[in-house]
Amino acid sequence: MAIRGTSLRNLLLSSKPTPLRHYSSSSSAASSVNPTEVSHFNALASTWWDPHGSSRLLHLMNPLRHDFITSCLTSQKSPAPSHKLRYLDVGCGGGIFAESAARLGNTATVTGIDPSTEVLKVAQEHARQDPMLYPSGRLQYLNKSIEGLPIPQNVEEQFDVLTLFEVIEHISQPAPFLQSCLPFVKPGGWLVLSTIARTWASWLTTKFVAEEVVRLVPRGTHEWSKYVNEIEMRQYFQSQKGWASEGAVRAMGCVYVPGLGWRMVSGGERWGNYFFGVRKDPG
């Protein structure tokens, strides 16, 4: 049960915070799609909606995603939006979050995008079972990466909430990927994500225990070196003009407790799974 390619020395060195741009490429227009990642998730497509299958932890985490978004919207100094919200779910997978968001009373539309053809087929087929969602136009899926979407030309084409749930840790170059996401958020809107901090504790729990010991997730789901620390994420957005003013940044750790599910844990963002939200400055 050996973990290949990771030594204690590498763990200690690689877990030190570094600027997010350390991972960036020379071209922000380059595709973020990794064929190996796409192939991995294509293989899991058939079990995506099985609450006891390979995506079990995502099903259990979904209520916390909504709770965190609500906490972001209600935390802002200016009033929360009174209009119905437009969501862009980037890396939507089989549609667990996208479907649930589309059913909310304060949702106008949800657009889910994913580069995995097989997984997106599963999302589309599942959504078709509910006439309130897919045929009505309330929910749509596109087999695209964020770089493949036309950049919005006005506020009407932008989104109130852009979500990146369990996506960043599968991206080789997070800085240019995030740069591609920023234009899609309207002024006063939120970019909300969940990912994993790059620490020795997260290596132990998400790689060794979850993938090798108890097999909570399929082996090879995560690559520890791609994890991003909360401070790296925070510093990245604080360096972006037009973002995160007036302290409009929120983070909250979350931990999986066997038998109980996911629980929010204040301070957990420094060592394990966490939610992160940042607001685009109002126009």
Side-chain angles (χ1 to χ4, degrees), residues 6-19 22-23 196-204 223-233 235 269-272 274:
T6 303
S7 67
L8 178 59
R9 182 174 183 275
N10 287 337
L11 279 173
L12 295 174
L13 291 175
S14 300
S15 62
K16 294 180 179 180
T18 57
H22 173 78
Y23 301 101
I196 312 171
R198 192 179 63 262
T199 65
W200 68 267
S202 70
W203 175 85
L204 179 66
E223 186 174 330
W224 181 82
S225 63
K226 292 182 179 179
Y227 293 2
V228 177
N229 292 328
E230 187 271 345
I231 186 61
E232 296 167 345
M233 197 71 70
Q235 290 174 344
E269 64 272 15
R270 293 191 291 270
W271 55 267
Y274 66 94

Side-chain angles (χ1 to χ4, degrees), residues 36 61 72 116 141 160:
T36 301
M61 181 183 278
C72 289
S116 172
Y141 289 116
D160 299 284

Side-chain angles (χ1 to χ4, degrees), residues 166-239:
E166 285 69 60
V167 171
I168 290 292
E169 64 269 27
H170 302 288
I171 301 295
S172 299
Q173 299 168 346
F177 170 72
L178 288 170
Q179 202 70 37
S180 295
C181 293
L182 303 187
F184 289 86
V185 182
K186 67 173 53 175
W190 286 81
L191 186 151
V192 178
L193 62 86
S194 57
T195 191
I196 312 171
R198 192 179 63 262
T199 65
W200 68 267
S202 70
W203 175 85
L204 179 66
T205 56
T206 67
K207 289 297 298 178
F208 183 69
V209 175
E211 292 190 16
E212 301 291 337
V213 180
V214 297
R215 302 293 174 87
L216 279 172
V217 294
R219 180 180 288 176
T221 296
H222 298 112
E223 186 174 330
W224 181 82
S225 63
K226 292 182 179 179
Y227 293 2
V228 177
N229 292 328
E230 187 271 345
I231 186 61
E232 296 167 345
M233 197 71 70
R234 185 178 293 264
Q235 290 174 344
Y236 169 81
F237 278 102
Q238 289 174 339
S239 71

Side-chain angles (χ1 to χ4, degrees), residues 22-35:
H22 173 78
Y23 301 101
S24 67
S25 68
S26 59
S27 173
S28 61
S31 174
S32 58
V33 178
N34 182 323

Side-chain angles (χ1 to χ4, degrees), residues 36-261:
T36 301
E37 295 280 2
V38 171
S39 177
H40 175 81
F41 287 106
N42 274 338
L44 304 177
S46 62
T47 62
W48 206 276
W49 279 96
D50 179 357
H52 303 291
S54 60
S55 298
R56 176 172 176 264
L57 293 184
L58 301 184
H59 285 273
L60 293 174
M61 181 183 278
N62 203 47
L64 271 67
R65 295 166 169 175
H66 289 286
D67 290 344
F68 185 75
I69 290 174
T70 298
S71 74
C72 289
L73 295 174
T74 57
S75 71
Q76 58 196 49
K77 293 183 179 180
S78 55
S82 57
H83 61 275
K84 292 190 174 183
L85 305 178
R86 298 182 70 237
Y87 287 83
L88 176 61
D89 188 20
V90 180
C92 64
I96 295 172
F97 173 76
E99 272 202 28
S100 61
R103 292 191 174 93
L104 298 176
N106 67 337
T107 295
T109 62
V110 177
T111 299
I113 66 171
D114 200 285
S116 172
T117 304
E118 295 304 314
V119 172
L120 210 62
K121 285 180 181 177
V122 170
Q124 292 168 331
E125 291 172 2
H126 194 271
R128 287 193 182 99
Q129 299 174 24
D130 188 343
M132 167 192 166
L133 299 180
Y134 205 63
S136 69
R138 190 181 182 95
L139 171 64
Q140 68 166 333
Y141 289 116
L142 302 173
N143 185 204
K144 294 180 179 292
S145 66
I146 189 67
E147 297 87 358
L149 285 184
I151 295 177
Q153 299 301 306
N154 51 58
V155 174
E156 286 70 29
E157 295 179 355
Q158 293 175 310
F159 296 85
D160 299 284
V161 181
L162 184 150
T163 55
L164 297 166
F165 291 128
E166 285 69 60
V167 171
I168 290 292
E169 64 269 27
H170 302 288
I171 301 295
S172 299
Q173 299 168 346
F177 170 72
L178 288 170
Q179 202 70 37
S180 295
C181 293
L182 303 187
F184 289 86
V185 182
K186 67 173 53 175
W190 286 81
L191 186 151
V192 178
L193 62 86
S194 57
T195 191
I196 312 171
R198 192 179 63 262
T199 65
W200 68 267
S202 70
W203 175 85
L204 179 66
T205 56
T206 67
K207 289 297 298 178
F208 183 69
V209 175
E211 292 190 16
E212 301 291 337
V213 180
V214 297
R215 302 293 174 87
L216 279 172
V217 294
R219 180 180 288 176
T221 296
H222 298 112
E223 186 174 330
W224 181 82
S225 63
K226 292 182 179 179
Y227 293 2
V228 177
N229 292 328
E230 187 271 345
I231 186 61
E232 296 167 345
M233 197 71 70
R234 185 178 293 264
Q235 290 174 344
Y236 169 81
F237 278 102
Q238 289 174 339
S239 71
Q240 300 300 308
K241 184 178 181 180
W243 286 81
S245 69
E246 302 179 355
V249 179
R250 295 181 63 82
M252 177 62 69
C254 57
V255 62
Y256 176 73
V257 182
L260 297 176

